């Protein structure tokens, strides 16, 4: 479990860790469960957030997922969660639907 929130999480470290463990233990990607989270803009450091601040909510989710895939060194995520609700209810649903 990790989150696409560079301010508090190290997804690249998780990616390095699971790939090293998989090599050493002869595991396949399918043997590992990887879960990450989309984090709303107000919880990010503006310098390290994985998406542009002016992006639409749907594009933020897509950019966050793409960043996670790269950092975690995988081509799929088993579980993507919302880290916390959005400030506005309508925006919360936009993120959830994406």
């Amino acid at each position: 479990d990790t989150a696409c929130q560079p301010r508090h999480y190290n997804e690249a470290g998780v990616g390095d860790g699971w790939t090293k463990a998989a090599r050493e233990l002869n595991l396949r990607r399918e043997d590992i469960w990887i879960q990450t989270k989309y984090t709303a803009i107000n919880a990010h450091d503006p310098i390290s957030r994985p998406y542009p601040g002016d992006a639409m909510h749907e594009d933020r989710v897509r950019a966050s997922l793409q960043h996670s895939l790269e950092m975690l060194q995988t081509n799929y995520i088993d579980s993507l969660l919302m880290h916390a609700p959005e400030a506005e209810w309508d925006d919360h649903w936009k993120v959830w639907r994406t």
Side-chain angles (χ1 to χ4, degrees):
D1 177 71
T2 188
C4 189
Q5 187 183 22
R7 172 189 223 169
H8 298 295
Y9 293 83
N10 181 357
E11 283 191 319
V14 173
D16 290 343
W18 88 258
T19 55
K20 181 179 179 191
R23 276 192 310 275
E24 291 176 2
L25 299 171
N26 198 28
L27 299 172
R28 299 167 304 158
R29 167 62 182 90
E30 298 80 28
D31 298 322
I32 309 283
W33 181 269
I34 298 178
Q35 174 174 288
T36 193
K37 300 172 203 77
Y38 163 79
T39 303
I41 196 165
N42 60 352
H44 281 286
D45 175 354
I47 295 176
S48 65
R49 72 177 161 237
Y51 47 76
D54 61 350
M56 296 186 334
H57 286 81
E58 297 87 347
D59 293 333
R60 293 176 189 175
V61 174
R62 290 181 191 102
S64 178
L65 176 59
Q66 185 58 45
H67 187 268
S68 290
L69 290 168
E70 292 168 12
M71 294 298 103
L72 293 167
Q73 302 174 48
T74 186
N75 60 358
Y76 69 96
I77 301 294
D78 297 290
S79 176
L80 178 63
L81 306 175
M82 290 179 68
H83 209 158
E86 293 290 317
E88 299 294 326
W89 193 246
D90 287 343
D91 294 336
H92 175 85
W93 286 114
K94 289 175 189 175
V95 168
W96 184 83
R97 280 195 281 283
T98 304

